[in-house]
Amino acid sequence: MLRYIRAVMAVVLAGSMSACLDLDVTNENLPDRRRALSNADDVESILGLSTWRRWYQPMHSLANIANPFPLIAGEAGTTATVMSVHWAQDPPIPYRNDELASQVWMPRHGYDQWSQCVSNANDAIAQINEGMRIMTTDGEGTTIADNTDRAWSWGKLWQGVCIGYLANFLDRFPIATEETELPLRWEDLAEWERSQMLERNASQHLPLAIEAIEDAIQRMETGDQWQLPPTWVPGQTYNNQDIIELAHTMIARILIYHARTPAERAAVDWDKVLYHTERGLTYDWGPVLQDGVITDPSYLARLNNTGSGSFRISYYTIGPADQSGGYQNWLTTEPREDADRFLIETPDRRITGDTPTSNGAYLRYVTATGGYNTQMGLQYRSWYGWWRRLNYQGANHLAGHFALATADENRLYRAEAMLRKGMLQEAADLINVTRTRGHSVGTTVWATNLPPVTPDGVPEVDGQCVPRRANGECGDIWDALMYERDIELMGIEPTRAWMDRRGFGQLRDGVWVELPIPARYLSSLGVPTYTFGGVGGDGAAVCTAPLTCLP
Amino acid sequence: MTPRAILLAAALIAAAAVPAQSQQQTGQLIVNARDRLSGEPLSGAQVSLQGAREAGGVTDERGRFMFPALPAGTYTVQITFIGYGDARRNDVAIQAGQTTTVNFELETAVLSLQEVVVSGVIDPTAGMKLPFTVSKVSTEQLQVPTVNSALASIQGKVAGANIQRASGQPGAGVNIMLRSATSFEGSNSPLIVVDGVIIARDLNRTTADIEALDIVDIEIIKGAAAASLYGSRAAAGVVSITTDRGRNTPQNQTRVSSRTEFGRDFLAGRTPVTHSHHYLMDAAGTTLLNSDGEPVGWGGRTARTVSEYGGGARMMDQAYPGQIYDNLAAVYNPGQYLNQNFTVSQNTESTTFLVGITRLDQEGALANNRGFWRNTGRFSLDHRVGKLSLSFTGAHTRQYRDEISGNPYTSVLTYPAYVDLTRKGPDGQYLQQPDETVEVENPIWRQSTRDNYTARTRTQGSLSARYAPVNWLMVDAQLSYDRADGKEQVYVPKGIPDLTGEESSGGRLDLLHRENNAYNGAVGATFLRQFGELNTRVSARGTFEQENRETFNADGRDFLVTEIRDLTAALTLFDMQSSTSDVRANGMFVDVGLDYKDRYIGSFLVRRDGSSLFGPLERWHTYRRASAAYLISREEWFRVPFIDELKFRYAMGEAGGRPGFAWQYETWLVSRSAGLSKSTAGNPALKPEFTREHDWGIDLIAFGNRMQLELVYAKQHTKDNIIVLPATVISGYNSFRANAGAMEGRTYEMTLTAYPIRRQNLTWSINAIADNSRHTLTEWGRACFWGSNAGRTHEFTCAGEQAGNFWVQRTARSHDELPSWLQDRRDEFDINDEGYLVWVGRSADGTPNTWRDGISTAADAQACAGSAGSISNGCGWGSFFSENGFTYRWGEPFRAWNEEEDQVHRVLGGNSLPDLGFGFGSNLRYRGFSTYLGFRGQLGGKVYNDAKQWFYNQLRHGDLDQMGKADEAKKPLDYYQRGLANGNSGWVDTFLEDGTHLKLGEARVSYRFQQDQLRRLFGSLAPSQLTLGANGRNLFTLQKYSGLDPERGSPLSRVESVGYPHLRSFTMTLDIVF
């Protein structure tokens, strides 16, 4: 018996020793992070392309933000699809944070892509921080430039912008920088994320965004001089100074638009905004659209109207220009589906020509009704479509310079900061730049025909004033600022109207003022699903602005 | 010791014994064993007594064994003999001083429970002593070799085995699922072992590599309870194939045998096609007209929009003028089927070998396509030297398949019947586009202009040795090798006209090379020991596996010169890719088998598996099995008439499902155009899927070993299902795989084998199986979604859901399904003769129209005047209105809308799995005649008729034919194309059908000539056996299903797509043995 047991034990031992293959196998097909970031050219490529384009894509390359946000904000209207009506319906309903919902991609792309933008920047910046140098060589291996500063500061800028956009969109989100040591096991990483998602923390992350952009500015100011390769921002070779201006404006944009309510807007660090807008954009920043490089800028594609499309500019945006009383009638018509389109009588030549049915500099009178279904409600209809790009800039949505941040924008941010700081005349001067300047239509240059706004408000001339409030009164200087933003900054950034209006109390009652973490991530992390919006709901707008609301 | 001394000693012992025996009152027992059919005595049968101390023994050459002195009493006598069923006689009374004789007539072991099983166990074990389920398909049931994959042989023959084929193309493999699914997103295909060689699965259509004619039997381990022996890759079960090694060759003889099967394959069934059209014609119906009423050819044809049929409503109700053609018959004509097998085998006391070659040549049924051929050479050798046994198996397979270009079946039917696809041009060649109005290439022409193929070679070898130095110890080792090389080519010569724009006329050459090298081996030992009435067996073994795979592909376009198949000559090279993978695994296990009193059986196994496919933090995993069986019929007190054997058994076993090669790794995508980007997050803690199965069974042999019944209930629980999860956003990756799912499955199985007639010259056997399986996803660690990451887009992936579910878009059938914005217009909708809710409007006086008024109201502009809203195109067919972004067309079905979810309303239409799968076979032999019929089918279960949806959309399905219908019943083509087929978009409930069917899948009739007949015919050259036969496959199907064949798709996605239809074959066979 003993011999038997011994023999069995011996063979078990021998058998176990026979199984001796080394089980550590490397995947030689696709690199992991270590191998992917071992080459300086690849690190530079990630910083150059995989940061800012991740910021750009969800808004401009995909329809998931470009379509709904102008509708949600009341910037545009359409009944092209049931979903279009869903976004803009009155009263607004809560955002359906459900993986099965047809609008599931709307918040997910922003959340995904901006997070990837941050992550890519983190990985590549960490390599540089650990000593990697981005060297450019000639064809024979001789170093001709050290582009480490360029890569680092460009990546850092977009790391900050993407964190800022996450903070401005979402109520909470996890964030890491290049200095954060993330757990390796997905369970641990998920736990780490879960802990960051248990309470609203977006505002806590805002300083991180600003700090990153400021770090970028500092290195651009003190480091080597450089030019961007034209492949990074297609068609452009911006230099240090150009990007520094962009960075300052982006800080202002993020700071101002972070506010969800008028009270938060008032509490913005306006001194900081003043500081940055003083150094902000003096030119219009953005790529030259090229087929195959940056394609389908959906916001432009939808907004750009040649008469055949079904996107029209909402009366929430252009109604304050009206002098006929149509806007006030439109606002007060109940039920809302009976609020039909009306012709705008206005001195603002950006909206119309000399008559309500003639084309303005930015907008065009459109009679086509393609895609509009009267059964779905009349309030989405409008006689006016946007053709500024075609007309003013002479390019359609597939070609030409696409400005993603502009000098006008920077000026109007600065104007708000001045208003907040009591510098009323200085603010009026800035607002009046666009309010009074001429605009070309073909070979014709038209004046805007609006008298300058004063600290006392917009003057009434011949019984006309622009903008006019919901109650028919002439607007004050604040109204003039918002009106100017709505008209001048249209076509730059599809979320601008939503972000701007929530801080001014301009959104309709019930529109969500921030977005929840998409359900797919909450579900994976075991965090209960939640959402925002709906009249009286959590995270829902309350309309208080005199331009769009009656007391 | 001298003989005298021996005799003296014996006498003394006998003298001493006699008083004792006398005191105990002993008697004599003589046991005789004979073959029941032949009456021949059986020498070597093991005789034993239950309840007695006397050891038994083996029968002598007369088939006799004697117990000379048994104490008087009552005994149970048992006799066992290899190849025969066990027999037992209770209540054998031994009387003092008398001789009792018991005669056994043993039946040849024909029941699988009486045969030896080699799979799932270390040592060959009698089926009746297995404590878990291993099904066996024997030669008796493999009379009609399957044409594609040899594994299709078990279809309808093994309870719990669900086998479907996605295509009828020669050389296509099969999709197998045993019992219920154990993986939601991974493979549910079983591990395949051929003669101990684990078949590498990385090449597609692996099951097509196995030659059916070589198979002796197939053992199927259906679940983890039995598959624990195979550890972390066996959760989906194991199919173990044993090929012929010549062991049935008479001892010390050499046998030469050949088998030839030849015949033809035919298209099995045809899609009904329309033979009418909707174009303007003259009154006589002989000439096509244009809109100006002028005669035109087909090129100038104009859709008829005559007012009586409504504005724009196109009704296909006119016969084609002139001749029409049966193009399906022209393109799919019967092709040759030839299968030849030649073997030489020899069996001596120490050596057995077999050499065999097989050629399968199946043209299929598609014109200008050479089909599939496979050549197989095989060699096996078993040699015994004293206590050492050596075995070698080698096989080499070469196969070639002429791949199809485009989809000929759809192309044929895209052409209307007036087009003759067989027409040739002045150059004697088929025309590329026989009708210029049809933007599809003539499939006959197309096949002749391409050279697309898949070629493969496979070489397998296995060497094993067993050494038994003492009777309680056996040491064994095995080493196997499996190499597969694959080459795929797509070739379009430069200069081929380009009609569809798919390929450049500058030429195209796509090449793909694959190479697989797989090794596996084992070293172990088995110990046998008897402790009183307890027999023990302990086995220990260490195993290893390694599989390397490499692929390379490169595509070229725009060749410099014609007729060059060299990428060097391609001006444009793109899509060059390569990949490599290396998979390794180590394992070790200990298995303990206990057998107490021949009726209490126990088996316990522990296996430890390590694999490079597991994350580095989870490299090793343990699998266990505990099983027990109780042969209650062997209890002395068991006295149930007609029951020969009755066993209750239970097994609990664990097995795993391995992750894919790349699943554990963090990966970045590398793109020549876009550079680097993050792809999947790694998961160093990725574990194998883990399945635990409980298997309860009752095995019964009754009526004198003439009937066998197996009843099984199995319940599986799989945890750690690997699913794709969205990565944590902070990582920057899109997704990763994690063990975040769980599922449960259960299966009921019944297997019945019976020999109602078993005589020397007449034998009739029947086999029947039935099963039912269901499984449910019980945990799903991410948000639910429509579709499936496993490609089954008809599923809803969520906890509580079953894999294989069909969630289909609901076509409205009742007024309650109208959206809220139409509820006030309910009376404007009617339910038509096909049960669909359709808008029909109402007249000015408020009277609703009916579905019959499509033509009659078309001429009456006021017929819809009472309808709400704005109506376009008057009334009747062709009119419509829009509301809330939806358009409702007169008389056309439409999809119900789920307003809550703001999307089309989906309903659960059913599941791919049948309510009851069944099969039965009948085998009748009378003298030399033999017939075999194999039926299979299912009750319930759903099949999606994707082909019908496609043909509706293409306006070619026979249902669109309105000729001969009353006007009120006629429906325009838009009714089918848009209303029902939804523009061939999505899963629509209209096309989900009941899969209930009964199929005669196999039939064979043969005659085996007797020796004397052969001698009369051939004299001294007479072979020892000659059999003539005829086989039929896929002969007919009784079905509710309206498509071609309900046996399509895969077990969890029963979808009949438009593709190569299944074939029907008729062949003759000639078997000769010398």
Side-chain angles (χ1 to χ4, degrees), chain B residues 854-934:
Chain B
I855 292 176
S856 62
T857 59
D860 181 358
Q862 292 300 304
C864 285
S867 304
S870 175
I871 310 299
S872 302
N873 278 8
C875 196
W877 295 116
S879 61
F880 64 91
F881 73 93
S882 296
E883 189 162 334
N884 234 6
F886 297 90
T887 299
Y888 300 89
R889 299 175 186 276
W890 202 100
E892 276 187 29
F894 55 91
R895 251 50 61 197
W897 189 255
N898 184 329
E899 292 178 65
E900 190 178 331
E901 295 186 354
D902 212 11
Q903 53 192 293
V904 69
H905 185 49
R906 292 185 178 94
V907 293
L908 177 59
N911 192 278
S912 291
L913 296 175
D915 297 333
L916 182 73
F918 62 84
F920 56 93
S922 166
N923 213 327
L924 180 69
R925 293 181 193 277
Y926 175 68
R927 295 185 182 275
F929 281 106
S930 174
T931 65
Y932 175 75
L933 296 173

Side-chain angles (χ1 to χ4, degrees), chain B residues 372-383:
Chain B
F372 172 76
W373 62 254
R374 178 177 60 214
N375 292 338
T376 305
R378 201 162 52 78
F379 174 68
S380 67
L381 173 69
D382 298 301
H383 185 63

Side-chain angles (χ1 to χ4, degrees), chain B residues 867-1068:
Chain B
S867 304
S870 175
I871 310 299
S872 302
N873 278 8
C875 196
W877 295 116
S879 61
F880 64 91
F881 73 93
S882 296
E883 189 162 334
N884 234 6
F886 297 90
T887 299
Y888 300 89
R889 299 175 186 276
W890 202 100
E892 276 187 29
F894 55 91
R895 251 50 61 197
W897 189 255
N898 184 329
E899 292 178 65
E900 190 178 331
E901 295 186 354
D902 212 11
Q903 53 192 293
V904 69
H905 185 49
R906 292 185 178 94
V907 293
L908 177 59
N911 192 278
S912 291
L913 296 175
D915 297 333
L916 182 73
F918 62 84
F920 56 93
S922 166
N923 213 327
L924 180 69
R925 293 181 193 277
Y926 175 68
R927 295 185 182 275
F929 281 106
S930 174
T931 65
Y932 175 75
L933 296 173
F935 293 88
R936 60 178 185 263
Q938 69 181 68
L939 295 175
K942 296 292 184 181
V943 181
Y944 191 84
N945 196 340
D946 189 51
K948 188 175 185 178
Q949 187 177 10
W950 192 90
F951 284 120
Y952 269 26
N953 194 56
Q954 292 293 313
L955 310 179
R956 295 297 299 137
H957 196 278
D959 287 357
L960 275 70
D961 205 329
Q962 306 298 307
M963 207 159 49
K965 286 186 179 178
D967 274 2
E968 65 175 30
K970 286 180 179 174
K971 295 174 177 61
L973 57 87
D974 294 311
Y975 177 93
Y976 301 93
Q977 186 182 47
R978 181 173 51 213
L980 292 178
N982 198 29
N984 200 33
S985 171
W987 305 94
V988 182
D989 58 353
T990 303
F991 304 98
L992 187 64
E993 301 185 33
D994 187 347
T996 298
H997 70 277
L998 171 66
K999 171 173 282 195
L1000 176 57
E1002 301 170 1
R1004 174 172 169 79
V1005 58
S1006 63
Y1007 181 75
R1008 181 170 168 175
F1009 289 88
Q1010 306 298 309
Q1011 283 271 336
D1012 54 343
Q1013 293 173 305
L1014 294 172
R1015 289 202 186 93
R1016 281 200 298 275
L1017 284 169
F1018 301 106
S1020 61
L1021 296 176
S1024 59
Q1025 289 178 28
L1026 190 150
T1027 306
L1028 277 174
N1031 290 344
R1033 300 176 179 87
N1034 193 19
L1035 294 179
F1036 75 83
T1037 307
L1038 298 175
Q1039 62 190 48
K1040 290 182 178 178
Y1041 177 62
S1042 70
L1044 287 181
D1045 195 328
E1047 291 183 346
R1048 291 287 287 218
S1050 63
L1052 294 179
S1053 187
R1054 296 284 292 279
V1055 178
E1056 184 181 33
S1057 299
V1058 185
Y1060 204 119
H1062 286 172
L1063 299 175
R1064 174 173 297 142
S1065 72
F1066 296 100
T1067 58
M1068 301 293 293

Side-chain angles (χ1 to χ4, degrees), chain B residues 516-532:
Chain B
N516 246 52
N517 284 286
Y519 312 83
N520 69 82
V523 178
T526 300
F527 306 87
L528 302 169
R529 186 79 185 230
Q530 190 166 5
F531 302 98

Side-chain angles (χ1 to χ4, degrees), chain B residues 114-190:
Chain B
Q114 296 172 320
E115 295 178 12
V116 167
V117 166
V118 297
S119 302
V121 293
I122 308 293
D123 299 310
T125 304
M128 205 59 208
K129 286 200 170 179
L130 272 184
F132 40 76
T133 308
V134 178
S135 297
K136 189 160 189 165
V137 177
S138 61
T139 316
E140 191 84 349
Q141 296 169 278
L142 298 172
Q143 297 193 40
V144 183
T146 46
V147 290
N148 279 335
S149 164
L151 295 188
S153 304
I154 65 175
Q155 193 172 14
K157 295 166 187 164
V158 175
N162 190 333
I163 296 176
Q164 306 297 334
R165 280 184 290 170
S167 168
Q169 187 182 1
V174 294
N175 299 310
I176 307 174
M177 188 178 76
L178 301 177
R179 289 188 173 161
S180 53
T182 55
S183 181
F184 212 75
E185 294 186 354
S187 170
N188 283 293
S189 297

